[in-house]
Amino acid sequence: MTRPTDAELAILNVLWSRGPCTVRQVAGELNHSRPTGYTTVLKLMQIMTEKKLVKRDEQSRAHVYRALHPRGQMQKRLVKDLVQRAFGGSTLELLQQAISGGTASADDLATMRRWIDEQEKKS
């Protein structure tokens, strides 16, 4: 599976949250957070089709695109890639950096503890 660029990931996030969309719908959604031209989005989605990140339905006049891979599957792939590239394959180092960054709330930490306990029981 090809790793999406940041711009491609923004498009995938629209498709994951809204479901199948036309280029115009995606461009409109992206414009809420940053100005993005229709032709830019069209070109990116054409590239994403070639990279097999999205599939284009050409049955209607306005082509409809959908993500080829579920969000969770892509997230796992991106995290695995990040762990390899930035942390030498160490999931522990990734978690340590993520938690020490101060962005995890007390609720997040409690949820992580419960999840780790559940994983240990499965082992």
Side-chain angles (χ1 to χ4, degrees):
M1 178 184 328
T2 304
R3 183 170 25 124
T5 65
D6 289 346
E8 292 168 346
L9 193 53
I11 290 170
L12 286 171
N13 278 316
V14 171
L15 295 174
W16 286 325
S17 64
R18 291 189 56 164
C21 293
T22 64
V23 173
R24 188 161 311 284
Q25 290 169 320
V26 171
E29 189 70 26
L30 292 174
N31 276 322
H32 293 299
S33 57
R34 64 175 173 229
T36 309
Y38 174 88
T39 55
T40 300
V41 175
L42 173 62
K43 185 62 181 170
L44 282 168
M45 292 180 82
Q46 289 170 337
I47 292 168
M48 291 171 72
T49 301
E50 293 171 14
K51 292 169 75 172
K52 299 195 182 330
L53 292 171
V54 298
K55 182 166 177 61
R56 178 177 52 224
D57 180 353
E58 300 175 1
Q59 292 181 4
S60 62
R61 184 168 182 257
H63 297 170
V64 176
Y65 291 79
R66 67 176 176 82
L68 269 177
H69 308 284
R71 182 189 305 254
Q73 182 183 6
M74 183 62 72
Q75 288 172 333
K76 283 181 184 176
R77 174 68 184 111
L78 291 172
V79 168
K80 184 177 179 181
D81 183 60
L82 177 64
V83 167
Q84 290 302 316
R85 290 185 309 118
F87 298 97
S90 173
T91 304
L92 176 61
E93 286 186 32
L94 168 72
L95 290 174
Q96 287 173 329
Q97 289 300 321
I99 292 170
S100 68
T103 57
S105 68
D107 286 343
D108 289 342
L109 293 172
T111 300
M112 285 184 231
R113 282 186 194 100
R114 284 192 302 274
W115 186 84
I116 290 169
D117 289 344
E118 289 171 16
Q119 297 307 306
E120 286 177 338
K121 290 176 187 174
K122 289 179 183 178
S123 299

